[in-house]
Amino acid sequence: MLRLLGPLELIVNGRSVDLGGLRQRVVLAVLALNANRLTPMEQLIEAVWQASPPSTARTQIQICIRAGNRRGRAAMDYTMGVLHLFRMRLTEAEEYFAAALEGFGAVQDAHGRALVLRNQAYIDGLRGKSAAMTARYTEALETMRAVGDRVGVSHVLRNLAKFHMEAGESTTAREMLDEA
């Protein structure tokens, strides 16, 4: 869902997606307002720079659009990964999550990467790969803390606490649950 009233916001799976800088946000807003219609390049240039665009304006607009397409593709791959994970199709989920991780990395979306890592860690846990699971959860946790995703932090801490509880490390598990 794309919210245009108030601050521009794209919601995917109940979470806000980083839309990039101001220029990219303006281009996205203009394209959204012209949904299902051809939007002339001149209209996008005018929306971004008003009366004095640089000589590289066309190229910069094209870069914004390509970045938006990559981010959208990464979000779609993430969504498909979640769907396959829900259906316990782990191999398919892993493939989509790997593509999403690469896509979010390409557009420098740290929060998107953290969401993917959290789900990859969950799959690692299901497959009995504790070291990989812990490493991915730890990276996801650090990033979610950095971007202020309190719900994501809580989710990761609860999953790590469950792992520590099953490993007989009740003190560590309790500390994580207290923080969650």
Side-chain angles (χ1 to χ4, degrees):
M1 170 175 54
L2 184 65
R3 294 183 181 158
L4 294 170
L5 297 176
L8 181 66
E9 186 176 30
L10 176 62
I11 307 295
V12 176
N13 291 331
R15 301 201 183 276
S16 183
V17 174
D18 178 16
L19 296 174
L22 180 61
R23 184 177 308 143
Q24 187 150 343
R25 296 170 78 80
V26 169
V27 169
L28 178 60
V30 171
L31 290 173
L33 290 169
N34 289 303
N36 299 319
R37 292 181 293 188
L38 183 63
T39 305
M41 178 65 77
E42 292 71 29
Q43 184 179 357
L44 295 170
I45 291 171
E46 184 178 332
V48 173
W49 289 282
Q50 286 84 36
S52 55
S55 60
T56 60
R58 290 178 97 64
T59 303
Q60 290 184 47
I61 295 292
Q62 290 168 343
I63 290 168
C64 287
I65 292 169
R66 276 196 300 276
N69 288 343
R70 285 194 306 267
R71 184 174 316 243
R73 178 61 199 205
M76 182 59 70
D77 286 335
Y78 172 77
T79 302
M80 292 301 295
V82 170
L83 175 66
H84 285 292
L85 179 56
F86 179 74
R87 293 181 176 168
M88 296 306 289
R89 296 178 184 159
L90 302 184
T91 301
E92 292 89 343
E94 288 174 316
E95 291 170 3
Y96 278 107
F97 286 142
L101 192 65
E102 182 180 328
F104 285 131
V107 296
Q108 300 176 349
D109 184 340
H111 188 243
R113 282 184 45 78
L115 293 172
V116 173
L117 287 167
R118 179 188 68 191
N119 285 297
Q120 287 178 317
Y122 182 75
I123 292 172
D124 288 337
L126 292 174
R127 294 194 187 272
K129 300 177 181 178
S130 346
M133 178 197 74
T134 304
R136 284 182 169 157
Y137 271 144
T138 300
E139 186 179 346
L141 184 60
E142 290 170 3
T143 303
M144 288 177 175
R145 282 180 173 145
V147 301
D149 180 355
R150 291 186 306 233
V151 172
V153 166
S154 178
H155 184 259
V156 170
L157 286 170
R158 285 192 313 267
N159 284 346
L160 280 170
K162 179 182 176 198
F163 168 74
H164 286 292
M165 189 63 80
E166 290 170 355
E169 301 167 358
S170 60
T171 304
T172 303
R174 210 170 311 118
E175 289 169 358
M176 290 183 165
L177 288 172
D178 287 345
E179 186 182 345

